[in-house]
């Protein structure tokens, strides 16, 4: 390796898996260079969360990071870890600094078939991670009230629009978004499409929301026409806009293999639908891509707390390490691409192949064994699964 990966360690069962993946599958073969940041909750607390900011800034500097799942503290965690403060979600902090979009895609294996039988290739959901209902302002309105939107411009002039004259009680909600954030979202989607050679589908409800959703549609189209049209033609991929309801119907009938860009709420709902329909949360990969081409790879799932408590009691767990492993291979492949290291690229590809082969040979963790249709399937514990991948990797190498 030439340039270090930014390595963000995390919490609980995924922290245990993190070390096993490195020890069993990576450091025996790769002269691994990382800049290590411990985002485990204890160290976030000890550094007043400075370590999270530092790791995000290092990611900006080097361009590629791999992140372990981390605890987002709630009241129970504040007590459990005796925290100074209820620290913010590391993912939220990192996303704000990198201004990125999250892309989620399932890992497909033989024996675990999507509930939708015509889905042959992964569907990647790109969720806009800013604004709309997640930054809303809401009010309950008593009968006899008039609700208006009011904008006060920099020069002091006002623009008003009537929301509703309430004869009976009701509710209102204000939402916003920013051109800048939508532009970043569009660029991240188009860059990721070029990177992975997949079409982009984008959907909103612009027929009903003629200013708000229409702005999303216009910004995507402007950026595409200006900066991406030629590159897409060269790569043989397309950009396609359609209404959200039409998109849902087309997605279900499709064979997969594209990026579905969604507004914040649509992405929240549709990513759970797509993940479930493909089989298992433990097989969902996730990558944060910034508009200027910085990448942070991780698993979509959390720290698998329930398994960790079993592990602490000395019991064997059967925790699926695939998504965390693919975060590592994704980051190694991106580093290999940026630094022109074909051997590192080949290694990461072989590691992915070895892990898929292990599952397709019938050796898998409990979560997959309960789904798999393979006749010879066998459920193994966390470490045995990684060692089985290691055996196949050694043969390939
Ligand atoms: P979770 O860690 O995703 O686990 C939820 C359940 O899903 C597990 O109990 C397990 O089911 C199953 N599961 C998830 N990943 C699995 C894997 N790799 N192998 C096998 N089974 C798996 O979600 P959570 O329990 O709600 O959250 C735990 C902590 O993770 C929280 O503190 C949360 O803040 C954090 N979190 C972090 C991230 C992130 O860093 N990106 C994302 C989400 C949550 P069974 O118990 O039935 O086996
Ligand atoms: Mg959700």
């Amino acid at each position: 390796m030439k340039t270090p990966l930014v390595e963000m360690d995390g919490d609980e069962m995924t922290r245990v898996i993190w070390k096993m993946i490195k020890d069993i599958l990576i450091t025996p073969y790769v002269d691994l260079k990382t800049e290590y940041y411990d985002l485990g909750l204890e160290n976030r607390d000890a550094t007043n969360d400075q370590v999270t900011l530092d790791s995000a800034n290092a990611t900006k500097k080097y361009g590629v990071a791999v992140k372990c799942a981390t605890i987002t503290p709630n009241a129970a965690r504040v007590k459990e870890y005796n925290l100074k403060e209820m620290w913010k979600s590391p993912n939220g902090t990192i996303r704000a600094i990198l201004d990125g979009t999250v892309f989620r895609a399932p890992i497909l294996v033989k024996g675990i078939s999507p509930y939708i039988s015509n889905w042959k290739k992964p569907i990647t959901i790109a969720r806009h991670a800013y604004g709309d209902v997640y930054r809303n302002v809401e009010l309950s309105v008593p009968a006899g009230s008039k609700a208006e939107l009011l904008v006060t411009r920099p020069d002091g002039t006002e623009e008003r629009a009537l929301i509703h004259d309430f004869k009976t009680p009701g509710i209102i909600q204000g939402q916003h978004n920013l051109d800048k954030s939508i532009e970043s979202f569009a660029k991240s989607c188009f860059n990721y499409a070029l990177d992975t050679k997949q079409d982009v589908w984008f959907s909103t409800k612009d027929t009903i929301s003629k200013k708000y959703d229409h702005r999303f549609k216009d910004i995507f189209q402007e950026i595409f026409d200006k900066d991406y049209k030629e590159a897409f033609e060269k790569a043989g991929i397309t950009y396609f806009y359609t209404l959200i309801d039409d998109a849902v119907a087309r997605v279900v009938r499709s064979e997969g293999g594209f990026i579905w860009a969604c507004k914040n709420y649509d992405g929240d709902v549709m990513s759970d639908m797509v993940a479930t329909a493909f089989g298992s949360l433990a097989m969902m990969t996730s990558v944060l891509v910034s508009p200027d081409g910085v990448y942070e790879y991780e698993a979509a799932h959390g720290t698998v707390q329930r398994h960790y408590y079993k592990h602490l009691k000395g019991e064997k767990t059967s925790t699926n390490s695939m998504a965390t492993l693919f975060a590592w291979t994704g980051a190694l492949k991106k580093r290999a691409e940026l630094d022109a290291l074909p051997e590192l690229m080949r290694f990461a590809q072989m590691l992915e192949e070895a892990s898929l082969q292990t599952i397709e040979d019938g050796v898998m963790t409990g979560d997959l064994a309960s789904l798999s249709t393979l006749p010879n399937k066998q459920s193994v514990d966390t470490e045995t699964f990684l060692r089985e991948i290691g055996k196949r990797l050694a043969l390939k190498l």
Side-chain angles (χ1 to χ4, degrees):
M1 290 182 71
K2 288 182 191 159
T3 319
L5 273 179
V6 176
E7 176 182 355
M8 304 172 178
D9 207 345
D11 289 300
E12 298 194 311
M13 201 60 210
T14 39
R15 188 180 179 99
V16 175
I17 287 175
W18 194 259
K19 185 166 186 315
M20 284 184 186
I21 288 175
K22 282 170 65 183
D23 290 349
I24 299 171
L25 297 173
I26 298 179
T27 49
Y29 306 105
V30 178
D31 171 25
L32 185 66
K33 288 196 176 63
T34 73
E35 196 164 289
Y36 179 85
Y37 292 88
D38 183 359
L39 267 58
L41 188 49
E42 276 131 352
N43 194 44
R44 273 183 277 149
D45 195 48
T47 62
N48 296 326
D49 210 26
Q50 185 61 39
V51 66
T52 307
L53 302 176
D54 291 347
S55 72
N57 287 318
T59 305
K60 264 187 158 170
K61 176 175 162 196
Y62 292 115
V64 187
V66 56
K67 181 181 171 290
C68 180
T70 46
I71 293 169
T72 298
N74 53 17
R77 299 299 201 163
V78 171
K79 218 167 137 200
E80 182 183 356
Y81 285 83
N82 192 21
L83 300 179
K84 293 183 227 164
E85 241 181 72
M86 198 185 288
W87 303 108
K88 280 194 251 170
S89 151
N91 288 53
T93 302
I94 295 166
R95 203 155 53 213
I97 292 176
L98 299 182
D99 185 22
T101 298
V102 175
F103 296 84
R104 291 197 160 174
I107 304 162
L108 302 192
V109 286
K110 278 193 211 87
I112 296 171
S113 18
Y115 289 99
I116 296 178
S117 56
N118 44 287
W119 285 0
K120 304 286 182 239
K121 295 180 232 165
I123 294 168
T124 303
I125 298 263
R127 173 183 171 189
H128 186 212
Y130 179 83
D132 303 349
V133 72
Y134 300 86
R135 297 269 180 122
N136 70 356
V137 182
E138 303 181 320
L139 290 172
S140 299
V141 181
S145 315
K146 183 169 91 170
E148 289 176 295
L149 283 178
L150 165 63
V151 175
T152 312
R153 299 209 192 80
D155 64 4
T157 57
E158 292 182 347
E159 184 175 356
R160 283 167 193 272
L162 177 70
I163 297 172
H164 194 67
D165 248 324
F166 285 85
K167 307 278 182 277
T168 56
I171 42 185
I172 60 165
Q173 179 181 79
Q175 295 188 17
H176 81 277
N177 222 300
L178 303 171
D179 286 4
K180 186 174 162 288
S181 175
I182 301 166
E183 283 162 15
S184 294
F185 175 42
K187 284 182 198 161
S188 295
C189 289
F190 294 141
N191 286 340
Y192 191 73
L194 287 170
D195 218 40
T196 59
K197 302 277 178 292
Q198 296 183 88
D199 295 343
V200 175
W201 297 15
F202 181 44
S203 52
T204 73
K205 193 71 181 173
D206 66 287
T207 46
I208 299 299
S209 173
K210 289 185 172 28
K211 288 236 166 70
Y212 197 105
D213 278 20
H214 214 284
R215 189 81 193 119
F216 279 81
K217 179 182 175 183
D218 287 346
I219 288 176
F220 263 69
Q221 196 63 51
E222 280 161 24
I223 289 184
F224 179 74
D225 289 343
K226 190 157 75 70
D227 296 328
Y228 291 92
K229 204 171 181 162
E230 271 173 43
F232 267 53
E233 270 163 22
K234 244 189 231 155
I237 56 176
T238 55
Y239 167 60
F240 166 64
Y241 175 86
T242 188
L243 283 170
I244 179 80
D245 34 1
D246 180 50
V248 168
R250 284 172 186 263
V251 164
V252 170
R253 287 196 308 263
S254 78
E255 59 166 36
F258 52 87
I259 297 160
W260 184 9
C262 292
K263 285 179 64 201
N264 210 347
Y265 175 83
D266 298 338
D268 186 355
V269 177
M270 292 307 159
S271 68
D272 277 14
M273 190 270 287
V274 169
T276 307
F278 270 110
S280 165
L281 181 60
M283 297 290 274
M284 280 303 267
T285 64
S286 183
V287 56
L288 176 70
V289 182
S290 83
D292 45 341
V294 166
Y295 291 75
E296 184 242 282
Y297 294 84
E298 63 176 323
H301 60 77
T303 59
V304 212
Q305 181 181 15
R306 209 180 60 81
H307 294 211
Y308 181 59
Y309 290 145
K310 270 179 77 178
H311 169 82
L312 285 182
K313 280 192 250 161
E315 290 171 38
K316 285 229 184 288
T317 69
S318 186
T319 316
N320 189 338
S321 48
M322 286 294 279
T324 304
L325 179 58
F326 272 64
W328 272 99
T329 55
L332 290 173
K333 285 199 292 188
K334 181 49 80 179
R335 206 58 277 168
E337 182 196 319
L338 295 175
D339 294 347
L341 299 168
E343 282 177 272
L344 185 62
M345 180 68 81
R346 230 174 9 252
F347 169 79
Q349 282 164 348
M350 281 187 186
L351 180 48
E352 288 183 357
E353 284 164 22
S355 65
L356 296 174
Q357 199 198 323
T358 305
I359 297 173
E360 290 174 359
D361 285 347
V363 181
M364 61 195 85
T365 46
D367 57 314
L368 294 186
S370 67
L371 293 171
S372 176
T373 52
L374 293 182
N376 59 336
K377 66 187 175 185
Q378 166 200 357
S379 172
V380 297
D381 65 72
T382 308
E383 184 174 342
T384 304
F385 179 63
L386 288 167
R387 295 209 177 278
E388 286 288 327
I389 296 174
K391 279 188 206 164
R392 288 162 181 81
L393 176 64
L395 277 178
K396 277 180 183 294
L397 288 168

